Short mmCIF file of all heavy atoms in Angstrom, two decimals:
data_model
loop_
_atom_site.label_atom_id
_atom_site.label_comp_id
_atom_site.label_asym_id
_atom_site.label_seq_id
_atom_site.Cartn_x
_atom_site.Cartn_y
_atom_site.Cartn_z
N GLY A 33 -8.39 -33.18 -41.38
CA GLY A 33 -9.58 -33.05 -40.56
C GLY A 33 -10.64 -34.09 -40.86
O GLY A 33 -11.59 -34.26 -40.11
N CYS A 34 -10.46 -34.81 -41.93
CA CYS A 34 -11.42 -35.83 -42.34
C CYS A 34 -11.33 -37.04 -41.40
O CYS A 34 -10.24 -37.54 -41.14
CB CYS A 34 -11.11 -36.25 -43.78
SG CYS A 34 -12.06 -37.66 -44.35
N PRO A 35 -12.47 -37.50 -40.90
CA PRO A 35 -12.44 -38.66 -39.99
C PRO A 35 -11.77 -39.89 -40.60
O PRO A 35 -11.10 -40.64 -39.90
CB PRO A 35 -13.91 -38.95 -39.72
CG PRO A 35 -14.60 -37.65 -39.96
CD PRO A 35 -13.82 -36.97 -41.06
N ALA A 36 -11.92 -40.08 -41.90
CA ALA A 36 -11.31 -41.24 -42.55
C ALA A 36 -9.79 -41.17 -42.49
O ALA A 36 -9.12 -42.17 -42.21
CB ALA A 36 -11.78 -41.37 -43.99
N SER A 37 -9.23 -40.00 -42.74
CA SER A 37 -7.77 -39.89 -42.74
C SER A 37 -7.21 -40.04 -41.33
O SER A 37 -6.13 -40.59 -41.15
CB SER A 37 -7.31 -38.57 -43.35
OG SER A 37 -7.64 -37.48 -42.53
N ARG A 38 -7.93 -39.57 -40.34
CA ARG A 38 -7.46 -39.69 -38.95
C ARG A 38 -7.44 -41.15 -38.50
O ARG A 38 -6.72 -41.51 -37.59
CB ARG A 38 -8.32 -38.85 -38.02
CG ARG A 38 -8.11 -37.36 -38.23
CD ARG A 38 -8.92 -36.53 -37.27
NE ARG A 38 -8.65 -36.83 -35.88
CZ ARG A 38 -7.70 -36.26 -35.14
NH1 ARG A 38 -6.92 -35.35 -35.67
NH2 ARG A 38 -7.53 -36.59 -33.88
N GLY A 39 -8.24 -42.01 -39.17
CA GLY A 39 -8.29 -43.42 -38.82
C GLY A 39 -7.30 -44.28 -39.58
O GLY A 39 -7.22 -45.48 -39.34
N GLU A 40 -6.54 -43.67 -40.49
CA GLU A 40 -5.53 -44.41 -41.25
C GLU A 40 -4.26 -44.56 -40.42
O GLU A 40 -3.92 -43.69 -39.62
CB GLU A 40 -5.14 -43.67 -42.52
CG GLU A 40 -6.15 -43.69 -43.60
CD GLU A 40 -5.65 -43.00 -44.86
OE1 GLU A 40 -4.85 -42.05 -44.78
OE2 GLU A 40 -6.08 -43.42 -45.94
N THR A 41 -3.56 -45.65 -40.68
CA THR A 41 -2.24 -45.79 -40.07
C THR A 41 -1.24 -44.99 -40.90
O THR A 41 -1.52 -44.63 -42.05
CB THR A 41 -1.79 -47.26 -40.04
OG1 THR A 41 -1.61 -47.73 -41.38
CG2 THR A 41 -2.78 -48.13 -39.28
N VAL A 42 -0.09 -44.76 -40.34
CA VAL A 42 0.97 -44.07 -41.07
C VAL A 42 1.32 -44.86 -42.34
O VAL A 42 1.47 -44.28 -43.41
CB VAL A 42 2.23 -43.89 -40.19
CG1 VAL A 42 3.38 -43.30 -40.97
CG2 VAL A 42 1.92 -43.01 -38.98
N GLU A 43 1.40 -46.16 -42.22
CA GLU A 43 1.74 -46.99 -43.38
C GLU A 43 0.69 -46.87 -44.48
O GLU A 43 1.04 -46.75 -45.66
CB GLU A 43 1.89 -48.45 -42.96
CG GLU A 43 2.32 -49.36 -44.09
CD GLU A 43 2.59 -50.77 -43.62
OE1 GLU A 43 1.79 -51.32 -42.84
OE2 GLU A 43 3.62 -51.33 -44.05
N GLN A 44 -0.58 -46.90 -44.13
CA GLN A 44 -1.65 -46.77 -45.12
C GLN A 44 -1.58 -45.43 -45.85
O GLN A 44 -1.71 -45.37 -47.07
CB GLN A 44 -3.02 -46.93 -44.46
CG GLN A 44 -3.30 -48.33 -43.98
CD GLN A 44 -4.54 -48.40 -43.10
OE1 GLN A 44 -4.85 -47.47 -42.36
NE2 GLN A 44 -5.23 -49.53 -43.17
N ALA A 45 -1.37 -44.36 -45.10
CA ALA A 45 -1.28 -43.03 -45.71
C ALA A 45 -0.09 -42.93 -46.65
O ALA A 45 -0.19 -42.35 -47.73
CB ALA A 45 -1.20 -41.97 -44.62
N CYS A 46 1.02 -43.51 -46.25
CA CYS A 46 2.22 -43.46 -47.09
C CYS A 46 2.00 -44.24 -48.39
O CYS A 46 2.45 -43.81 -49.45
CB CYS A 46 3.43 -44.00 -46.33
SG CYS A 46 4.04 -42.84 -45.09
N GLU A 47 1.33 -45.38 -48.30
CA GLU A 47 1.06 -46.17 -49.50
C GLU A 47 0.20 -45.39 -50.48
O GLU A 47 0.48 -45.36 -51.68
CB GLU A 47 0.35 -47.48 -49.11
CG GLU A 47 1.26 -48.49 -48.48
CD GLU A 47 0.52 -49.75 -48.03
OE1 GLU A 47 -0.70 -49.88 -48.28
OE2 GLU A 47 1.16 -50.61 -47.39
N VAL A 48 -0.83 -44.72 -49.98
CA VAL A 48 -1.75 -43.97 -50.84
C VAL A 48 -1.05 -42.77 -51.49
O VAL A 48 -1.30 -42.45 -52.64
CB VAL A 48 -2.97 -43.50 -50.02
CG1 VAL A 48 -3.80 -42.50 -50.80
CG2 VAL A 48 -3.82 -44.69 -49.60
N HIS A 49 -0.14 -42.15 -50.74
CA HIS A 49 0.50 -40.93 -51.22
C HIS A 49 1.90 -41.15 -51.81
O HIS A 49 2.58 -40.19 -52.16
CB HIS A 49 0.55 -39.90 -50.09
CG HIS A 49 -0.81 -39.39 -49.71
ND1 HIS A 49 -1.44 -38.39 -50.40
CD2 HIS A 49 -1.67 -39.79 -48.75
CE1 HIS A 49 -2.63 -38.18 -49.86
NE2 HIS A 49 -2.79 -39.01 -48.86
N GLY A 50 2.32 -42.41 -51.90
CA GLY A 50 3.61 -42.71 -52.52
C GLY A 50 4.80 -42.18 -51.76
O GLY A 50 5.78 -41.72 -52.35
N VAL A 51 4.73 -42.27 -50.43
CA VAL A 51 5.80 -41.76 -49.57
C VAL A 51 6.46 -42.93 -48.84
O VAL A 51 5.78 -43.88 -48.43
CB VAL A 51 5.21 -40.75 -48.55
CG1 VAL A 51 6.23 -40.32 -47.53
CG2 VAL A 51 4.63 -39.55 -49.28
N ASP A 52 7.77 -42.85 -48.66
CA ASP A 52 8.51 -43.87 -47.93
C ASP A 52 8.14 -43.79 -46.44
O ASP A 52 8.37 -42.76 -45.81
CB ASP A 52 10.01 -43.67 -48.12
CG ASP A 52 10.81 -44.72 -47.39
OD1 ASP A 52 11.02 -45.81 -47.94
OD2 ASP A 52 11.22 -44.44 -46.23
N VAL A 53 7.57 -44.85 -45.91
CA VAL A 53 7.09 -44.85 -44.53
C VAL A 53 8.23 -44.63 -43.54
O VAL A 53 8.08 -43.92 -42.54
CB VAL A 53 6.28 -46.12 -44.21
CG1 VAL A 53 7.15 -47.35 -44.23
CG2 VAL A 53 5.53 -45.99 -42.90
N ASP A 54 9.39 -45.21 -43.80
CA ASP A 54 10.51 -45.06 -42.87
C ASP A 54 11.02 -43.62 -42.82
O ASP A 54 11.40 -43.13 -41.76
CB ASP A 54 11.65 -46.02 -43.23
CG ASP A 54 11.24 -47.48 -43.02
OD1 ASP A 54 10.55 -47.77 -42.02
OD2 ASP A 54 11.62 -48.31 -43.85
N ASP A 55 10.99 -42.95 -43.96
CA ASP A 55 11.40 -41.56 -44.02
C ASP A 55 10.45 -40.69 -43.19
O ASP A 55 10.89 -39.87 -42.38
CB ASP A 55 11.44 -41.07 -45.47
CG ASP A 55 11.93 -39.65 -45.60
OD1 ASP A 55 12.99 -39.32 -45.02
OD2 ASP A 55 11.24 -38.85 -46.28
#
Side-chain angles (χ1 to χ4, degrees):
C34 172
S37 69
R38 290 182 57 88
E40 287 183 329
T41 66
V42 174
E43 183 174 45
Q44 290 169 327
C46 286
E47 286 176 5
V48 169
H49 292 277
V51 173
D52 181 85
V53 67
D54 293 321
D55 183 50

